[in-house]
Amino acid sequence: TLRINLDLYEMARNLLEEQRRLVDAGTNSIANVYNFEVDVAIAVDRVVSAESSLLQAVRAVKVVMQEPDLSLDSSVALQPTTEPTLVGYEFDSRRLVETAFGNRADLLQYEFQQRSAAVAVMMNENAMLPEIDIMAAWQPMGFTTSVDSGNIVDATRNLFEGQAPPGWMIGLNASVSIGNDAAIANHQAAILQRLQIIANRRQREILVTQEVLDAIDTLQAGWSSIVSTEFQVRAAERFYDAYKRLFDRGQIPSSNLSQALQSLSSARVQQATAAVQYQIAKANLAQATGCILGH
């Protein structure tokens, strides 16, 4: 936008200087000089505004980059090394939606919650069954059957040398809850929790689908804007060239040429804006499908 407004300023200034020479030569009206002075003033104001916007945009990028060598003032400028890639695309909407389902972190989180809820349902279902515990134990015996040898030395020897038979036990413990209302309630609560997570995931899938489709529509509309603004710029250029020839011949007033100049400037700004919005739309599509920028 700054470059476009600088071009507009140069064109308006050239028209002004040309009219001043003609007025000095006594072959033209001073009204044309006044008209183009207004155009130059408008162009200067637009240049100042565009330069301020550029400085703020560069500063915003520096804040995001967090580079210690990049001061936030205007002493260091940032210049993109690549031009925007303006290419139209045809999209497979179904495939992009499926890609989003597999890539989006928020959907993966719902899938994890759904699996955890399924495990909780199985655990609570198991808690409603009767509880049966089997217990078994085995241990070496550290004592002796001799009446005269009841000391710790003989007991230790029997423990490690196997003088005494080992001791063992086995048992079965079974318990059944009367009524089992608490376990049934917990199981039903786990099922409802799982159903709620499934519903939330389905709702999120609907929103993700909407985001992807909206991003596709916006990107396709952006390409249409690029094509239309290109035609507008060409038409505005022809419009200005035709009015310039007519003005040089004295067939139209300077106000008509100023109008053509403003139309050309507006068309070029719209073309640049369409290119920027198209890049933003591609970034939004990448975000909607859970991909990194450029993929």
Side-chain angles (χ1 to χ4, degrees), residues 116-186:
S116 299
V119 173
V121 170
M122 290 187 292
M123 293 178 61
N124 284 279
E125 183 179 7
N126 184 69
M128 294 189 302
L129 301 176
E131 182 178 358
I132 300 177
D133 296 327
I134 299 178
M135 300 172 292
W138 177 91
Q139 60 181 359
M141 297 302 180
F143 61 87
T144 178
T145 57
S146 175
V147 179
D148 300 331
S149 302
N151 55 64
I152 190 170
V153 176
D154 292 335
T156 303
R157 183 181 301 112
N158 287 334
L159 177 64
F160 290 101
E161 294 180 359
Q163 296 286 332
W168 60 274
M169 59 85 67
I170 186 171
L172 183 65
N173 183 23
S175 62
V176 179
S177 300
I178 300 177
N180 212 14
D181 293 336
I184 294 175
N186 292 334

